[in-house]
Amino acid sequence: MKTIAQQWGEFDKAVLLPTAPAIQRTEMRRAFFAGFHSALLSGIEISNVVGDGNDSDDIGANMLENLHRECIAFSADVQAGRA
């Protein structure tokens, strides 16, 4: 499994120009790690719901699906120039 730092390195190379100012790279790295942390907290929250011992698999799946839909909508907004 790749570390967060390794994933950041791949993202950095794929998205940022080599000539990007250091401040842009620093702020993007902070945002990347913050986003990863947020996703991790969401995963923990979902696992707590699913781990309650009830029939909560559907609840967890719905939570993931809602997050996925939100990402798809944001991506569409980015592509359309709205975000």
Side-chain angles (χ1 to χ4, degrees):
M1 177 191 300
K2 294 178 187 175
T3 66
I4 305 166
Q6 288 169 327
Q7 292 177 60
W8 158 251
E10 292 174 359
F11 179 82
D12 180 21
K13 288 177 185 160
V15 175
L16 291 174
L17 295 173
T19 58
I23 188 68
Q24 181 181 12
R25 186 164 269 107
T26 297
E27 293 300 318
M28 294 270 308
R29 184 173 180 266
R30 289 176 179 172
F32 185 89
F33 270 79
F36 193 96
H37 187 248
S38 178
L40 182 61
L41 291 177
S42 292
I44 290 169
E45 182 180 346
I46 290 168
S47 71
N48 287 337
V49 169
V50 172
D52 284 343
N54 54 29
D55 288 335
S56 56
D57 287 350
D58 287 341
I59 295 169
N62 286 336
M63 292 169 81
L64 286 172
E65 182 60 30
N66 288 337
L67 293 172
H68 185 230
R69 284 188 188 127
E70 186 177 359
C71 286
I72 290 170
F74 181 76
S75 179
D77 286 345
V78 169
Q79 291 178 357
R82 295 184 298 263

